[in-house]
Amino acid sequence: MNVHTSKHQRACELAKEILASDIDYLDNVIEMWKIGNSIHGSVWGTEFHIFGVIASDTDHLPTKTVREHCSNEWLLKADKEISECIIFYRENVKKACNEILSKYGGV
């Protein structure tokens, strides 16, 4: 199995997770962005584009490993912003996930 195959498989796993649930949304989006950069050199103009947009828009928000160091007040604000982001980008993310599954699902 080559490196791209495992990245394609992980992208498909993440796409399924993102489509199924908003749990760990930010971490999943960031990982998807990293995979897209790894596969293409840059996510811009690819099926991973939306994940770059979201990663950029949310780079000030705490990921799962950072959350334990945040105040409850900040987490409430951050969670509200993440929820708004999920709603705002939902259709674009759904389309991208389906494109990733279609493109790499047979790998």
Side-chain angles (χ1 to χ4, degrees), residues 49-96:
H49 183 100
I50 191 63
F51 301 108
V53 171
I54 297 169
S56 178
D57 284 354
T58 60
D59 63 357
H60 61 288
L61 297 172
T63 56
K64 200 161 125 175
T65 56
V66 175
R67 292 178 70 85
E68 67 186 66
H69 304 289
C70 299
S71 70
N72 286 337
E73 182 181 349
W74 169 235
L75 289 176
L76 287 171
K77 289 178 184 175
D79 288 346
K80 181 179 185 294
E81 193 171 337
I82 292 168
S83 293
E84 291 168 354
C85 178
I86 291 169
I87 293 165
F88 184 79
Y89 290 113
R90 186 171 308 280
E91 287 307 309
N92 289 324
V93 167
K94 183 178 174 184
K95 181 180 175 198

Side-chain angles (χ1 to χ4, degrees), residues 4-19 28 31-36 39 47-48 51 96-101 103-105:
H4 278 303
T5 302
S6 61
K7 290 176 185 173
H8 296 160
Q9 287 175 335
R10 182 61 183 147
C12 288
E13 289 170 9
L14 283 169
K16 289 174 186 173
E17 286 179 34
I18 291 167
L19 288 171
N28 288 341
E31 186 177 352
M32 193 70 98
W33 167 67
K34 289 177 180 177
I35 290 170
I39 291 171
E47 64 278 8
F48 293 90
F51 301 108
C97 286
N98 285 325
E99 189 175 340
I100 289 163
L101 288 168
K103 188 170 184 176
Y104 303 118

